[in-house]
Amino acid sequence: MKRLWMRFPIKMSMVVLFMGLSLVSISLMGLFSHINYSNAVKQDFHTVTDEATKRLNHHIEFYFEQLSKSTKLLANADLIQAWFDGSRKLTAFDTDEIEAQLRRNVALNNTEVAGIFLKSFDNRILAMRSYYSSEPDFTGEPWYNVPFSEQKVLLPTHTITYPQQTGMAVVSMITPVYSQTTLAPIGSIIIDLSLKEIEATLERSKIGETGQFMLLSQDDTIVYHSNKEWRGRKLSETPLRAIGIPGEGDVGTQTYEGKKVLISTSSSKVSGWKVVAIVPFDEMASGLYTARNSTIIAFVLIAVMVMLLVPLVSDLFVNPVLHLKHNMDKVFQGNYGTRAEFYPSRNEFQKLNYSFNKMVEQLDEQLGTISNLKLQEIHARLRQKEAYIQALQNQINPHLLYNSLDVIKSIGYIHNDELVVSMAGNLADVYRYTAKISDNEVTLKEELSILEKYLEITHIRFPKKFQSRITVNPKFHDCLLVKLTIQPIVENAVKYAVEPRGGNAAIIVSAYSDEDDLIIEIADNGEGMVEEKQLEIIERLNRIVLGTGEHDSIRSESLGLANVHTRLLLKYGERYGLHLSTFQGRGTVVSIRIPMRFGCA
């Protein structure tokens, strides 16, 4: 993403950036507005529907209460009480009188009553005879098998099946009847009511242009809906099953028939039915859409301003950058005398120009310093190499020496002098080895082999008193090191520890590993060094490490400590080389540190 951003000009990037920030800001503002307005719409909907449903519930409850009161007056009639409790035998005229009372009650009070029925505890049924030409069967009616209840029971919408009224959608109200003498329950009065009154009440109550109310029973049977085909059916058996009915007092947002609708629910304490209000969201959200359109218009205006003004404003930032880039290109081409325009101020670009000028000045000075240091380093390296080569090549003519030693060896062999033969042979081998000295590495085994020949010569010189021992683990024999590393150190020990004591001394060569390095120690039991001499040698070695003692190896009389240390330093780096430990009157230990690398030299 960062690389993609860097590919475009600053002006374009600033336009895109400001446009993106504006879009994000407007989007967030629109989102918060939408959420707030949506909540406000729901709250307004809840307030409106709550008030409307309270009126509906009150009207429906009042309707059923009035109907219940008229039913109680009917149930207290003497003939009806006698029919229920069987206290006296009724004649056909008495039965006709009861039926007439039922019809008069309908005619005087509620014309929407489809039927009134008396039901005793022994399942006797007495109905409004005027509706039937023969004795009908009421066992199929929903109220027939409803157990007796001391409370009024309302049955949701169902279709009646008795003659003359077959197919009519009604709701049933079951009212308990009690004996006037014993106050014991003696039966029930059932009233089948058409939906005329409920339908008229609900149709008068509108919410919005197309909003509507729906009545649901406790078991989600549709008591009333504007679609008559759905009345009396379970909610799950109609297309309304896609709607989730919210809980009591809640407001839900659903999608129905491709439209977003608001839904609220309120329950009646008398009937137990739920009044469900369903209103299209658009009819309640005119303020929300106004806010949305205002947000879109605001974004368009901001976008136009960004497109027009940002390129102009960006010049204030781009031009100083281009000026600085132009000067940087000059510096890149090698013109270290160029300077950016600088006016003392608190402006960040002027501070940047000032820093650029200071940087170029310091860069010019440092480049000069670095060039001088590079020349000095090259000269130092050349002198160091020359010293190394001169020290290694400052030997006698090897051909004359080899020929002379071979002659001495032949003479010793003719005269049967084994010491002369051994001395001449070992010396010839040692000088052949040293004559081939270079930067090439050899194995530790080869280095120790030539060391043994040198020590054998020393033993011939001091046959009785001199002692030597090489204790190096064979696992280190294949370790690589610079040729002629150990022998010059041992030769130095012979010169300063063995010879002054007439051969009465010892030299021990050992080796051990230290992490990834190999440490080789050459120890002698000579007189050691006085402190001044020791400090002088250590100082010489330190100067070689620092690069200030490049001629010290030349001043050595032989391939001594400084020479070896210089070659190790050049080959392996500053952390490698020699370390000197001397103890006056007890001896000296020289430690050689090299990297532990194995292979064939």
Side-chain angles (χ1 to χ4, degrees), residues 32-45 281:
F32 292 144
S33 299
H34 179 79
I35 294 173
N36 292 333
Y37 274 108
S38 296
N39 292 334
V41 168
K42 290 182 179 179
Q43 186 62 39
D44 292 342
F45 174 72
F281 188 86

Side-chain angles (χ1 to χ4, degrees), residues 553-573:
S553 58
I554 300 176
R555 292 195 292 266
S556 300
E557 296 180 359
S558 62
L559 301 178
L561 299 180
N563 189 292
V564 174
H565 185 67
T566 301
R567 291 191 289 122
L568 294 177
L569 187 67
L570 291 172
K571 185 67 177 179
Y572 302 123

Side-chain angles (χ1 to χ4, degrees), residues 149-168:
S149 173
E150 295 181 356
Q151 303 295 327
K152 177 169 67 267
V153 176
L154 290 175
L155 298 182
T157 303
H158 58 277
T159 303
I160 57 180
T161 59
Y162 44 82
Q164 296 185 18
Q165 305 294 338
T166 300
M168 179 183 290

Side-chain angles (χ1 to χ4, degrees), residues 364-399:
D364 192 20
E365 294 175 359
Q366 290 177 0
L367 284 176
T369 303
I370 291 173
S371 298
N372 293 334
L373 292 176
K374 280 288 186 181
L375 289 174
Q376 293 176 10
E377 183 181 0
I378 292 172
H379 292 158
R381 289 284 182 178
L382 290 174
R383 289 195 297 268
Q384 200 170 42
K385 285 288 186 179
E386 291 171 357
Y388 167 63
I389 296 172
Q390 183 177 351
L392 298 182
Q393 293 180 349
N394 190 20
Q395 304 176 54
I396 62 173
N397 191 318
H399 297 288

Side-chain angles (χ1 to χ4, degrees), residues 578-595:
L578 304 185
H579 177 74
L580 179 67
S581 300
T582 183
F583 310 94
Q584 191 172 0
R586 290 186 294 170
T588 302
V589 178
V590 178
S591 299
I592 305 172
R593 178 182 290 272
I594 60 173

Side-chain angles (χ1 to χ4, degrees), residues 67 70-71 73-74 77-80 93-113 115-116 127-131 191:
L67 190 63
S70 65
T71 302
L73 293 174
L74 186 65
D78 293 337
L79 284 177
I80 293 177
F93 293 105
D94 294 332
T95 304
D96 289 340
E97 178 60 23
I98 293 174
E99 293 174 355
Q101 290 183 18
L102 296 178
R103 289 193 295 273
R104 283 196 299 271
N105 181 274
V106 171
L108 294 174
N109 297 301
N110 302 95
T111 57
E112 70 273 10
V113 174
I116 301 180
M128 295 166 55
R129 290 283 184 178
S130 60
Y131 286 99
I191 300 179

